[in-house]
Amino acid sequence: MKVLVVNAGSSSLKYQLIDTDTKNTLAKGLIERIGIDGTKLKQEVNGDKYEFEHPMKDHVVASQFMLDALTDENHGVLSNMDEIAAVGHRVVHGGEKFTQSVIIDDEVIEAIKENIPLGPLHNPANLMGIMACQEVMPNTPMVAVFDTAFHQTMPPKAFLYGVPMDYYERLHVRRYGFHGTSHRYVSARAAEFLGKDINNLRIITCHLGNGSSIAAIHNGKSVDTSMGLTPLEGVLMGTRCGSLDPAVVQYIMNNDGISVDEVLEIFNKKSGLLGVSGVSSDMRDIDAAAESGNENALVAQQILDMGIKKYIGSYAAVMGGVDVIVFTAGIGENSIELRERVMEGMSFLGAAIDKEKNKVRGKEADISADDSKVKVVVIPTNEELAIARDAFELVKNL
Ligand code: AMP
């Protein structure tokens, strides 16, 4: 079955056409600067790169260009858009309503709207993507796959914050967690790769990319994760600060005379690796700067390493041990050095890596030392494939 996977941002539309039988990506595209000058579409099919600039005033127009590109005689992969059996949409915040992927109907759209206060940066854009696709593909079933859904199995002791219960009951303030599609995919894939039953495993998944989160997965269910009400909580990220004392907000506001929105903008966009190092939000730049003696880049690296270690230690404690540690996403899949630094001194947990086996980038590998009780693996994430599979499962019997 051919499934179109769509990830809509406020001015962008990322898409992949996936064949769920072969797991192959047939086409991959990105439309940027929707509604702004210089809107560009880039598409790749089997190494053939197709790119053009054309005004697109909104997501509906952009979706039509996406379909035109996919069915283009010279650069496309489809002879007819009816070949698309389903569209899978990434939706960031599903709140407490969505514990799994669902077929989109009016009620689902209303529920995604209701969750806008929880995901103000992402849900409106995700909705625009859904509604635009519905307009240009009115007869194609659409599925919503939520970043938060996988973490809905967390128990109250993991998802509640220590604030008056009224805030949870009235305002739904709680830990939701994100990257759920990735944590679900890599944990299941790690179990398969190791030939083990996921229902009998304690797994810690480290999704380390520009945004990073770590999850504790006990018998296939998420029992804790590092991101919270928003993706700001947890380990240090590219531009996000990760966890800190909330009183820092008031202290900065009072001293610098800036608003809470400005402080949050700094915590989201100007902190993390970028803010600490003053160099870049990109791990490769941080590594290069640290290597050449930049002390702030070095300490940024160290904050991240230590944060990951602390989560691994605490999640092992929560699950009464750990059987598998998974590294995934841009940094987790590619940074040999970070994996080595994080896993150093972890033998007290029965976890050690083999430095030679660790010399892999971007492919599935068991990097554990022969005598390591804990399996340490690299599993490239594939959120698009996971979304396409969910869409397939939901629409196959329609
Ligand atoms: P993602 O958000 O999953 O695309 O991950 C992006 C992050 O992965 C960026 O910080 C990149 O610098 C990092 N990354 C990609 N390749 C490497 C590499 N070879 N070594 C270290 N970090 C990398």
Side-chain angles (χ1 to χ4, degrees), residues 4 36 42 48 50 55 58 72 93 114 166 184 194 199 203 211 247 257 268 275 292 302 310 348 355 358 376 390 396:
L4 181 63
I36 332 175
K42 294 181 197 165
D48 168 61
Y50 178 39
D58 56 26
D72 185 87
H93 220 305
E114 278 165 26
D166 174 55
R184 173 165 60 110
L194 294 167
N199 296 312
I203 307 179
N268 270 301
S292 61
Q302 291 171 337
K310 282 159 87 169
F348 76 98
K355 287 187 182 171
N358 184 40
V376 186
D390 279 11
K396 69 180 180 197

Side-chain angles (χ1 to χ4, degrees), residues 7-26:
N7 184 355
S10 55
S11 63
S12 69
L13 203 65
K14 267 193 219 156
Y15 61 93
Q16 277 195 25
L17 185 71
I18 292 179
D19 183 332
T20 52
D21 302 326
T22 60
K23 299 187 199 166
N24 288 337
T25 299
L26 307 172

Side-chain angles (χ1 to χ4, degrees), residues 109-156:
I109 294 212
E110 275 315 302
I112 297 173
K113 277 189 194 157
E114 278 165 26
N115 282 326
I116 287 179
L118 291 170
L121 300 178
H122 297 104
N123 275 29
N126 300 155
L127 261 179
M128 276 196 289
I130 292 172
M131 287 155 111
C133 287
Q134 282 182 327
E135 200 159 326
V136 298
M137 289 176 265
N139 301 319
T140 312
M142 312 258 157
V143 167
V145 180
F146 301 92
D147 266 19
T148 49
F150 180 60
H151 299 301
Q152 279 296 306
T153 47
M154 283 188 289

Side-chain angles (χ1 to χ4, degrees), residues 37-350:
D37 278 355
T39 314
K40 221 181 218 177
L41 182 147
K42 294 181 197 165
Q43 179 173 281
E44 199 175 329
V45 172
N46 280 332
D48 168 61
K49 291 193 174 137
Y50 178 39
E51 194 173 322
F52 63 83
E53 216 176 289
H54 194 284
M56 301 181 206
K57 70 174 168 58
D58 56 26
H59 284 67
V60 177
V61 177
S63 302
Q64 189 58 57
F65 272 96
M66 164 181 76
L67 290 183
D68 291 348
L70 287 168
T71 51
D72 185 87
E73 233 180 281
N74 301 315
H75 303 282
V77 269
L78 299 172
S79 48
N80 188 313
M81 76 171 210
D82 293 339
E83 286 177 51
I84 300 170
V87 183
H89 291 271
R90 177 179 184 209
V91 181
V92 170
H93 220 305
E96 288 189 316
K97 170 107 183 163
F98 297 107
T99 56
Q100 54 195 16
S101 304
V102 288
I103 293 186
I104 299 173
D105 57 16
D106 291 348
E107 205 181 310
V108 168
I109 294 212
E110 275 315 302
I112 297 173
K113 277 189 194 157
E114 278 165 26
N115 282 326
I116 287 179
L118 291 170
L121 300 178
H122 297 104
N123 275 29
N126 300 155
L127 261 179
M128 276 196 289
I130 292 172
M131 287 155 111
C133 287
Q134 282 182 327
E135 200 159 326
V136 298
M137 289 176 265
N139 301 319
T140 312
M142 312 258 157
V143 167
V145 180
F146 301 92
D147 266 19
T148 49
F150 180 60
H151 299 301
Q152 279 296 306
T153 47
M154 283 188 289
K157 63 183 176 185
F159 73 65
L160 284 174
Y161 292 122
V163 294
M165 195 56 92
D166 174 55
Y167 290 118
Y168 171 59
E169 290 167 352
R170 193 167 45 87
L171 299 177
H172 317 291
V173 171
R174 53 161 285 177
R175 174 185 311 289
Y176 289 94
F178 298 87
H179 295 139
T181 311
S182 175
H183 289 294
R184 173 165 60 110
Y185 174 82
V186 298
S187 56
R189 190 61 214 129
E192 254 170 43
F193 175 71
L194 294 167
K196 297 190 177 196
D197 179 3
I198 193 162
N199 296 312
N200 200 14
L201 284 177
R202 295 160 300 185
I203 307 179
I204 297 173
T205 44
C206 306
H207 176 111
L208 309 170
N210 192 32
S212 298
S213 68
I214 302 182
I217 300 165
H218 201 168
N219 300 341
K221 293 196 168 68
S222 173
V223 293
D224 203 358
T225 190
S226 59
M227 282 180 167
L229 174 78
T230 76
L232 196 52
E233 196 182 347
V235 291
L236 192 81
M237 306 179 212
T239 61
R240 297 187 197 119
C241 57
S243 299
L244 47 64
D245 178 348
V248 173
V249 178
Q250 184 196 35
Y251 185 79
I252 294 176
M253 284 171 68
N254 289 348
N255 275 282
D256 285 0
I258 59 175
S259 69
V260 71
D261 287 357
E262 287 169 310
V263 177
L264 265 289
E265 172 86 5
I266 293 167
F267 288 175
N268 270 301
K269 305 254 171 76
K270 295 182 182 156
S271 301
L273 292 172
L274 172 67
V276 175
S277 70
V279 172
S280 166
S281 63
D282 193 293
M283 195 67 199
R284 286 163 291 199
D285 299 338
I286 300 291
D287 290 344
E291 182 79 10
S292 61
N294 182 318
E295 292 198 359
N296 289 349
L298 182 65
V299 81
Q301 240 183 18
Q302 291 171 337
I303 297 172
L304 175 59
D305 297 349
M306 184 162 167
I308 301 166
K309 267 179 182 285
K310 282 159 87 169
Y311 274 104
I312 293 176
S314 58
Y315 287 168
V318 163
M319 292 191 287
V322 52
D323 303 302
V324 185
I325 297 172
V326 182
F327 285 95
T328 192
I331 300 171
E333 290 165 29
N334 295 298
S335 179
I336 295 166
E337 300 78 12
L338 175 129
R339 291 193 301 256
E340 193 174 314
R341 294 193 305 265
V342 166
M343 293 311 300
E344 183 151 10
M346 288 280 194
S347 50
F348 76 98
L349 270 183

Side-chain angles (χ1 to χ4, degrees), residues 353-364:
I353 59 167
D354 179 316
K355 287 187 182 171
E356 280 307 308
K357 290 189 198 159
N358 184 40
K359 288 183 182 155
V360 286
R361 293 188 204 278
K363 61 174 191 209
E364 291 186 350

